[in-house]
Amino acid sequence: MIDIGRLYSDRAGKMRKSEIRELLKVTQDPEIVSFAGGLPNPKSFPIDDLQDVVHNVLKNHGKAALQYGTTQGLRELRESIAKTSRKDGMDVDADDVIIVSGSQQGLDTVGKVFLNPGDTAIVGLPSYLGGINAYRSYEANLTGIPVDEEGMRIDILEETVKNLLKDDITPKFIYVVPTFQNPAGVVMPESRRKKLMDLACEHDLVIIEDDPYGKLRFDIDHIKPIKSFDDEGRVIYMSTFSKILAPGFRLAWMISSGELKRKMIICKQALDLCTNTFTQFIADDLMRSGSLDLHIMKIREMYKPKRDIMMSAMKQYFPDGYKCNKPKGGMFAWVTLPEGIDTETMFLDAIKNKVAYVHGKAFHVDGGGANSMRLNFSYSSDEQIEEGMERLANVIKQKLEANKAVA
Ligand SMILES: Cc1ncc(COP(=O)(O)O)c(C=O)c1O
């Protein structure tokens, strides 16, 4: 038998499976109500509209749409993205946009461009697991900064950055999801965004602003991205069609400029040559016709009541002592349970009771978050949310009883 492991690179040897992807396997069981994955609701996919668009793309652009494209991405789509980005407050033109095969590829590209083994990067506590995994695969040391109801704590960030610099450690970047954060669901207000930008300028740091959920807002006005306060090209902004159209398209974009943008394009050349050309044409058609904006409004209308059902079911069924702020948009609610409950071990009980979530520790680079969990409200039907929350409440109650018995 070949001992393949001895041939692996140090990097591959240290790679760990993604907890979320493993969990998604368990939740394939149709009897399980899954609050685990970050999945859009499949009913939101605009299948009928897409049939016409696919037909038109093939008819009008068939030869180009089925051909390799440039690594930076389809010019027309980059123009459409630049146009909406300007509406959102960013000073962007098509040259600043790189189309990527999912934001996940963008995160990996960032890791590849910036991180040597042992380098330090800064993430939130909690933080998006896919980001953590991407940076860890480049053997980075991840320093966590607590996230409160208004996102990353800038006061603690400032102190941490100063201490790192004092020790001659330059953090390579600060990774933030400022709007409807995955997993905590919180929004960083404009004042904090500006402070973060000022801090980055003062200490010559780079910010990775990951924004898949900004458009999925229910009861809050648009907040300008951090990138819109960036006059020095130190923010790499990224967003995706995954949550506003379809993750199966594997289509997202990054916004940056100058030398950094060129470096990322070179990096992407080795990753995939180019992003799916066909879906780029489709997305561009949807953006130009205005259908995507209408579609986003429909998604908001679909998800807002789901959020409400989840929140009121929580109130109705959960035992006292939990904490959960109502998310103003996005796809996730973040729940903190009483101390002493370990949501990682409770997960097995939850699965037995046919309900799933992601335990909080998975999102913490410091081993914290043991009594917290992330609940997705976009994927399940309204009835499943109600039923699933009742099941989950029972699992929590049993756990509390069991803990009491031991104490
Ligand atoms: C914060 C965040 N970044 C990136 C991604 C990856 O998105 P994509 O499907 O574009 O790769 C996700 C997906 O859930 C996410 O929540």
Side-chain angles (χ1 to χ4, degrees):
M1 277 290 267
I2 183 167
D3 174 12
I4 197 71
R6 90 198 144 84
L7 301 174
Y8 287 160
S9 65
D10 292 346
R11 195 184 324 113
K14 287 177 195 158
M15 281 178 193
R16 294 286 162 264
K17 65 188 179 193
S18 153
E19 309 231 8
I20 291 197
R21 302 234 61 93
E22 292 300 309
L23 281 178
L24 283 176
K25 283 189 211 155
V26 186
T27 58
Q28 298 295 313
D29 175 353
E31 281 185 27
I32 291 184
V33 175
S34 178
F35 300 132
L39 276 63
N41 194 293
K43 283 202 178 138
S44 74
F45 299 149
I47 294 173
D48 289 341
D49 290 351
L50 278 174
Q51 284 182 2
D52 291 342
V53 177
V54 167
H55 180 78
N56 287 340
V57 165
L58 285 173
K59 196 164 139 229
N60 302 324
H61 308 282
K63 286 188 179 141
L66 299 177
Q67 188 57 278
Y68 288 112
T70 62
T71 304
Q72 188 170 357
L74 185 69
R75 174 97 208 165
E76 291 84 342
L77 178 61
R78 289 190 283 115
E79 277 165 4
S80 300
I81 288 170
K83 197 170 156 196
T84 55
S85 306
R86 283 194 294 271
K87 274 193 211 152
D88 287 343
M90 293 178 272
D91 179 17
V92 178
D93 73 25
D95 272 349
D96 305 324
V97 179
I98 307 175
I99 308 294
V100 283
S101 307
S103 303
Q104 193 61 39
Q105 186 185 61
L107 297 173
D108 186 73
T109 305
V110 163
K112 208 169 186 178
V113 166
F114 286 102
L115 297 172
N116 287 319
D119 274 351
T120 294
I122 294 179
V123 301
L125 290 173
S127 202
Y128 169 56
L129 185 54
I132 295 175
N133 283 339
Y135 307 142
R136 279 203 173 133
S137 73
Y138 291 98
E139 301 175 60
N141 292 325
L142 299 179
T143 299
I145 304 294
V147 165
D148 66 13
E149 294 77 42
E150 299 194 334
M152 190 178 273
R153 287 270 305 266
I154 306 300
D155 52 340
I156 302 181
L157 174 65
E158 181 163 21
E159 202 186 311
T160 308
V161 166
K162 282 183 181 162
N163 286 336
L164 285 169
L165 292 173
K166 220 186 278 161
D167 292 340
D168 264 343
I169 297 169
T170 303
K172 288 294 183 78
F173 55 79
I174 304 164
Y175 172 62
V176 277
V177 183
T179 313
F180 315 127
Q181 200 234 22
N182 178 4
V186 294
V187 179
M188 185 184 283
E190 187 171 309
S191 54
R192 212 180 259 198
R193 291 176 191 223
K194 285 183 176 159
K195 274 190 196 149
L196 177 56
M197 194 67 244
D198 289 347
L199 186 78
C201 292
E202 192 184 334
H203 297 288
D204 197 15
L205 302 170
V206 166
I207 297 171
I208 312 300
E209 179 177 24
D210 186 8
D211 184 25
Y213 304 102
K215 298 258 183 249
L216 302 183
R217 55 176 195 274
F218 312 143
D219 21 44
I220 185 172
D221 290 336
H222 168 69
I223 299 186
K224 282 191 190 167
I226 301 167
K227 180 75 186 161
S228 65
F229 307 113
D230 176 24
D231 301 323
E232 301 181 351
R234 53 178 75 254
V235 179
I236 301 177
Y237 174 92
M238 59 180 90
S239 187
T240 177
F241 289 99
S242 287
K243 318 295 176 172
I244 53 170
L245 183 57
F249 271 36
R250 305 314 299 133
L251 204 56
W253 64 95
M254 298 169 93
I255 297 175
S256 63
S257 51
E259 161 55 25
L260 172 57
K261 179 201 69 182
R262 284 188 285 280
K263 187 61 87 183
M264 290 197 295
I265 295 172
I266 293 168
C267 182
K268 183 176 153 61
Q269 282 167 357
L271 290 175
D272 64 359
L273 304 180
C274 70
T275 297
N276 185 327
T277 322
F278 189 38
T279 55
Q280 290 188 66
F281 271 96
I282 296 171
D284 184 48
D285 185 302
L286 291 165
M287 288 185 93
R288 278 172 201 270
S289 67
S291 308
L292 187 65
D293 286 340
L294 292 176
H295 183 62
I296 291 169
M297 268 146 60
K298 281 191 202 155
I299 299 177
R300 286 184 194 154
E301 277 163 26
M302 180 186 275
Y303 289 178
K304 185 177 181 210
K306 289 184 185 298
R307 184 267 324 253
D308 292 339
I309 293 168
M310 178 170 275
M311 297 311 290
S312 56
M314 210 180 290
K315 227 184 214 162
Q316 185 179 350
Y317 300 120
F318 273 30
D320 289 344
Y322 76 90
K323 207 179 127 232
C324 178
N325 289 324
K326 187 173 176 177
K328 295 188 169 76
M331 300 189 351
F332 305 107
W334 179 254
V335 183
T336 307
L337 296 172
E339 290 288 337
I341 290 199
D342 182 340
T343 52
E344 186 173 11
T345 53
M346 193 177 79
F347 183 71
L348 290 176
D349 300 324
I351 290 298
K352 274 188 217 141
N353 285 273
K354 305 283 181 206
V355 60
Y357 57 82
V358 183
H359 64 81
K361 240 193 264 174
F363 305 102
H364 283 74
V365 294
D366 67 346
N371 58 333
S372 53
M373 60 168 111
R374 188 192 74 178
L375 302 179
N376 164 278
F377 54 77
S378 59
Y379 177 68
S380 303
S381 71
D382 298 1
E383 298 72 29
Q384 283 171 328
I385 296 176
E386 177 85 28
E387 171 65 31
M389 291 303 280
E390 193 173 356
R391 290 181 196 172
L392 185 54
N394 289 334
V395 174
I396 297 168
K397 283 176 197 157
Q398 281 162 21
K399 198 79 191 166
L400 283 173
E401 286 303 314
N403 285 1
K404 240 192 250 163
V406 174

